[in-house]
Structures are given as C-alpha cells and as structure tokens.
Amino acid sequence: MMIKKIVKKHGNKKENLLQILHDIQSQNPKSYITEEDINTLSREMIISVSEIKGTASFYTMFSFTPRGKYIIRVCESPPCHILGAQTIFEAIESKLGVKAGETTDDGLFTLEGTSCLGICGVAPAMMINDEAYGNLNEEKIYKILGQIQEKEGGKA
Ligand code: FES
C-alpha cells in the first residue's frame, strides 16, 4: 500500500526508480529496503527484481539489511583518506565496538564508508544521518558520539 503510494507520487517510469527506492528506504524505521518491498515494487513498476536489486546495490546509500537509528558515513575518498579517514574509522570502531558495515547491538548506530560527501574543505569528514561533521579527530568523534548516546539514554 505504502509502496503503491510512493510509486504513484513519482510515476512508475524507470527513471524515477532511484527516488522511489530512496522514499521506500526512508519510510522504514530501520532505513533499509526489504525483500518484500522489492517484490512489490517489481510488480508496481513492471521491472524485474534483479534489475531493481542491481540498481540499488550500485549505490552505497541503499541497504538491504536493517540499519541503526544513526547512520554514520565516513568519507573514504582521497582528500579525506590522506587527512586521516582511517583514524576516524578506528576511533568510531573503538568507541562503538562495530566494524564498517555493522550495526551496534542496541540498534543505535550503523557504521559505513562512503565516497566524497562534498565537504572536502573540512576533511576528514563524516555524516551522521543528514548532519555533516568536518575537521574530525579522535577527540571530536568521542564527543559527538557521546552526545548522541547521552541523548538516547545516558549510555555515554
Ligand atoms: S573527499 Fe571527503 S568529503 Fe570530499
């Protein structure tokens, strides 16, 4: 039903597929696209399941597994890489106990790598959901994550 509505809103042309997938993912509280979503979408748009999966898996912003409430995307493109993206990953991994691609046991955070976020001037950079953070270092990471944990139930 929900998917029907989303398809109707954008029109069931192939060129709208990305926008439709984006909306489907956003309305899922765990920010992912389910198998059932894809099957329904395939029927609604008359596009094969494998084509939808192929398109979606090309983009790192789409996920087929449940994700945390906060999706941390650390930029791995060269400018950020040179200025220490690896250290940023390690700081997050040690603070949250997850590796890239994993979600914390409390379902709060998912850690992912991404290509350039368009804020290379403040490299190394990351985004948490829609919020961008730059000029990162270990200390800043601990502070940002600690603030979120505190807000979510005093686990800092
Ligand atoms: S290279 Fe990291 S934001 Fe552009």
Side-chain angles (χ1 to χ4, degrees):
M1 173 58 194
M2 191 56 121
I3 290 185
K4 227 180 195 162
K5 252 190 186 166
I6 292 172
V7 172
K8 201 170 168 201
K9 177 177 133 198
H10 294 284
N12 75 345
K13 288 212 181 87
K14 242 187 212 178
E15 67 241 36
N16 301 325
L17 182 58
L18 285 184
Q19 199 51 49
I20 289 168
L21 284 169
H22 195 268
D23 279 9
I24 290 173
Q25 179 168 272
S26 323
Q27 50 105 38
N28 184 313
K30 291 191 187 297
S31 300
Y32 78 113
I33 300 166
T34 67
E35 196 70 35
E36 198 190 327
D37 289 340
I38 293 174
N39 291 335
T40 311
L41 189 58
S42 162
R43 286 194 300 273
E44 287 295 323
M45 295 189 74
I46 318 167
I47 299 179
S48 73
V49 165
S50 61
E51 189 173 346
I52 295 174
K53 280 188 179 168
T55 304
S57 51
F58 188 75
Y59 296 90
T60 54
M61 63 195 168
F62 296 124
S63 175
F64 298 117
T65 50
R67 295 198 280 189
K69 182 169 177 188
Y70 295 90
I71 299 167
I72 306 170
R73 296 187 299 138
V74 178
C75 172
E76 298 178 297
S77 288
C80 281
H81 183 77
I82 291 164
L83 288 167
Q86 197 48 40
T87 316
I88 302 311
F89 261 116
E90 281 160 18
I92 299 170
E93 284 171 359
S94 81
K95 171 88 173 153
L96 300 179
V98 286
K99 296 258 176 241
E102 293 178 350
T103 298
T104 52
D105 290 341
D106 59 7
L108 220 45
F109 298 97
T110 297
L111 176 59
E112 294 179 356
T114 181
S115 51
C116 183
L117 296 165
I119 46 171
C120 330
V122 292
M126 70 174 180
M127 284 190 81
I128 301 182
N129 293 346
D130 293 330
E131 187 129 3
Y133 299 88
N135 294 320
L136 292 171
N137 55 38
E138 214 174 46
E139 201 188 341
K140 246 184 160 172
I141 293 281
Y142 272 64
K143 196 166 157 213
I144 294 163
L145 297 179
Q147 277 167 351
I148 296 176
Q149 285 174 323
E150 209 171 307
K151 187 173 109 190
E152 293 291 337
K155 284 187 59 187

mmCIF file of all heavy atoms in Angstrom, residues 75 77 79-80 116-120 125, ligand 1:
data_model
loop_
_atom_site.group_PDB
_atom_site.id
_atom_site.type_symbol
_atom_site.label_atom_id
_atom_site.label_comp_id
_atom_site.label_asym_id
_atom_site.label_seq_id
_atom_site.Cartn_x
_atom_site.Cartn_y
_atom_site.Cartn_z
ATOM 1 N N CYS A 75 33.738 9.446 5.084
ATOM 2 C CA CYS A 75 34.229 9.610 3.713
ATOM 3 C C CYS A 75 35.572 8.904 3.527
ATOM 4 O O CYS A 75 36.484 9.065 4.339
ATOM 5 C CB CYS A 75 34.375 11.087 3.404
ATOM 6 S SG CYS A 75 35.184 11.357 1.831
ATOM 7 N N SER A 77 37.095 8.952 0.320
ATOM 8 C CA SER A 77 37.725 9.465 -0.906
ATOM 9 C C SER A 77 39.094 10.062 -0.588
ATOM 10 O O SER A 77 39.363 10.411 0.568
ATOM 11 C CB SER A 77 36.818 10.490 -1.574
ATOM 12 O OG SER A 77 35.722 9.811 -2.149
ATOM 13 N N PRO A 79 41.001 12.917 -0.582
ATOM 14 C CA PRO A 79 41.341 14.016 0.346
ATOM 15 C C PRO A 79 41.101 13.643 1.812
ATOM 16 O O PRO A 79 41.923 13.953 2.670
ATOM 17 C CB PRO A 79 40.417 15.153 -0.093
ATOM 18 C CG PRO A 79 40.125 14.844 -1.520
ATOM 19 C CD PRO A 79 40.059 13.345 -1.618
ATOM 20 N N CYS A 80 40.002 12.971 2.085
ATOM 21 C CA CYS A 80 39.719 12.566 3.464
ATOM 22 C C CYS A 80 40.642 11.433 3.884
ATOM 23 O O CYS A 80 41.097 11.378 5.023
ATOM 24 C CB CYS A 80 38.263 12.128 3.617
ATOM 25 S SG CYS A 80 37.133 13.533 3.734
ATOM 26 N N CYS A 116 33.141 10.682 -1.547
ATOM 27 C CA CYS A 116 33.136 12.108 -1.216
ATOM 28 C C CYS A 116 31.757 12.660 -0.840
ATOM 29 O O CYS A 116 30.782 12.476 -1.553
ATOM 30 C CB CYS A 116 33.700 12.910 -2.384
ATOM 31 S SG CYS A 116 33.816 14.665 -2.031
ATOM 32 N N LEU A 117 31.723 13.363 0.275
ATOM 33 C CA LEU A 117 30.469 13.944 0.758
ATOM 34 C C LEU A 117 30.309 15.379 0.289
ATOM 35 O O LEU A 117 29.338 16.046 0.614
ATOM 36 C CB LEU A 117 30.446 13.902 2.297
ATOM 37 C CG LEU A 117 30.443 12.506 2.943
ATOM 38 C CD1 LEU A 117 30.784 12.616 4.422
ATOM 39 C CD2 LEU A 117 29.098 11.829 2.753
ATOM 40 N N GLY A 118 31.316 15.861 -0.442
ATOM 41 C CA GLY A 118 31.238 17.212 -0.979
ATOM 42 C C GLY A 118 31.657 18.287 0.000
ATOM 43 O O GLY A 118 31.380 19.467 -0.199
ATOM 44 N N ILE A 119 32.316 17.882 1.078
ATOM 45 C CA ILE A 119 32.796 18.876 2.040
ATOM 46 C C ILE A 119 34.285 18.653 2.295
ATOM 47 O O ILE A 119 34.755 18.703 3.436
ATOM 48 C CB ILE A 119 31.986 18.818 3.365
ATOM 49 C CG1 ILE A 119 31.820 17.357 3.846
ATOM 50 C CG2 ILE A 119 30.646 19.481 3.219
ATOM 51 C CD1 ILE A 119 31.231 17.239 5.245
ATOM 52 N N CYS A 120 35.013 18.414 1.194
ATOM 53 C CA CYS A 120 36.438 18.068 1.279
ATOM 54 C C CYS A 120 37.244 19.177 1.960
ATOM 55 O O CYS A 120 38.317 18.923 2.493
ATOM 56 C CB CYS A 120 37.011 17.815 -0.101
ATOM 57 S SG CYS A 120 35.827 17.170 -1.261
ATOM 58 N N ALA A 125 36.019 13.988 6.935
ATOM 59 C CA ALA A 125 34.622 14.322 7.195
ATOM 60 C C ALA A 125 33.743 13.078 7.309
ATOM 61 O O ALA A 125 34.093 12.006 6.842
ATOM 62 C CB ALA A 125 34.108 15.208 6.065
HETATM 63 S S1 FES B 1 36.871 13.756 -0.068
HETATM 64 FE FE1 FES B 1 35.883 13.567 1.821
HETATM 65 S S2 FES B 1 34.301 14.991 1.704
HETATM 66 FE FE2 FES B 1 35.203 15.072 -0.215
#
